[in-house]
Amino acid sequence: MTNPTAPLQLSLTEIGSRVRGLRIHDVTPILGPDTAMFFLNRAPKVAQLSRHATDGAAANSWDLHEHSGAHVDAPFHFDPQGQTIDELPADVLFFRPYKKYDLSEFDLAPGAHATLEQITRIGDRDHLTLDEGDIALVDFGYDKYLPGMSDERDPAWWGRNQPGLSEEVCEFFAGAKVVAVGSDTSACDLALADGQMSAGTGHGQHFLPNGILIIEGLRGLNAAPATGLFAALPLKLAGGTASPLRVVLLGP
């Protein structure tokens, strides 16, 4: 008798082999007391509860803001009728095609708004076409300002200063029906200049109220290819407005 599961097993074996053959780009910062944060949010705190020498095992207690490190904002963050993080499908950010818009060449200043012309120019250059269900990633090149990087600033600078997305760009991404928009800054579409806010229509109008998730705080996007697969899983936090993520980008 033929095993009815054999074709499925073969298919899964082939899929696993292909996935293992892809290069993995971990674009997640380390979480800890020194993690760079949006300036209104406090960094994680960790306390040692037990030690190997005295207790036979080690364990820590974490005091963690939902919007820490690389994280995803749930629609409920800005939309009182939107889904909380625990209500999102488990695979909402798992093995989704991503398209990366590398805006680093424009060297956008804090408070500047990335324009649709800039997004279009990079999209044409890198042959990017957004399809429904994709994840749009914006690489502003702003992780260069973090401690230890090429243009290191005071650790608090990154969370108070960033470019954002013009309303035209937000409308463009929303019109493509992407599942999420992400960036290497602390607040994605929101522009900041020494803590003064502008733009930000993605959070309140075009993204979250339309069920489009927002991913913030990514690192090392410059090393990842322009297209590939995005893989991350949110924590299942009851009533959560966001969740930290471990994000990997897979490509050739």
Side-chain angles (χ1 to χ4, degrees):
M1 180 177 178
T2 303
N3 182 353
T5 66
L8 177 60
Q9 290 172 343
L10 179 60
S11 175
L12 290 175
T13 299
E14 290 177 340
I15 291 171
S17 177
R18 289 177 181 270
V19 169
R20 287 191 298 273
L22 296 174
R23 184 177 179 187
I24 295 177
H25 300 269
D26 188 341
V27 292
T28 316
I30 295 174
L31 281 180
D34 297 326
T35 301
M37 300 283 290
F38 179 66
F39 74 103
L40 293 177
N41 299 339
R42 56 176 174 73
K45 296 180 181 180
V46 59
Q48 191 173 51
L49 295 180
S50 61
R51 305 180 181 184
H52 294 105
T54 56
D55 303 291
N60 299 319
S61 174
W62 285 82
D63 182 355
L64 191 68
H65 197 289
E66 293 174 317
H67 300 257
S68 292
H71 64 275
V72 58
D73 292 355
F76 183 69
H77 182 38
F78 267 64
D79 178 9
Q81 306 304 318
Q83 289 178 302
T84 55
I85 205 73
D86 55 309
E87 294 173 331
L88 297 175
D91 64 348
V92 66
L93 299 176
F94 191 70
F95 272 32
R96 293 277 185 175
Y98 76 82
K99 310 292 168 58
K100 183 188 74 170
Y101 293 83
D102 182 359
L103 303 187
S104 58
E105 69 179 59
F106 300 113
D107 198 21
L108 294 171
H113 302 169
T115 67
L116 184 57
E117 188 277 332
Q118 291 167 334
I119 289 289
T120 301
R121 186 192 310 181
I122 298 303
D124 290 343
R125 182 195 70 186
D126 294 340
H127 310 291
L128 304 178
T129 301
L130 279 179
D131 297 313
E132 183 174 351
D134 282 354
I135 293 176
L137 298 178
V138 180
D139 180 6
F140 289 108
Y142 259 55
D143 50 4
K144 70 181 179 181
Y145 297 116
L146 292 169
M149 302 303 286
S150 62
D151 198 357
E152 179 178 0
R153 304 290 177 91
D154 178 90
W157 188 92
W158 179 87
R160 299 181 63 88
N161 294 277
Q162 66 172 57
L165 303 177
S166 70
E167 184 159 16
E168 282 187 319
V169 173
C170 293
E171 290 174 340
F172 169 70
F173 286 150
K177 298 183 179 180
V178 297
V179 72
V181 179
S183 75
D184 62 340
T185 53
S186 68
C188 196
D189 53 295
L190 182 65
L192 296 169
D194 196 24
Q196 296 298 308
M197 306 181 203
S198 60
T201 58
H203 274 75
Q205 297 178 42
H206 300 297
F207 298 160
L208 296 180
N210 291 311
I212 297 171
L213 309 181
I214 297 175
I215 301 163
E216 298 161 335
L218 301 174
R219 299 287 184 278
L221 287 177
N222 62 301
T227 61
L229 289 175
F230 185 106
L233 293 170
L235 297 174
K236 206 169 184 179
L237 303 175
T241 70
S243 169
L245 297 171
R246 180 72 178 262
V247 181
V248 295
L249 304 181
L250 297 92

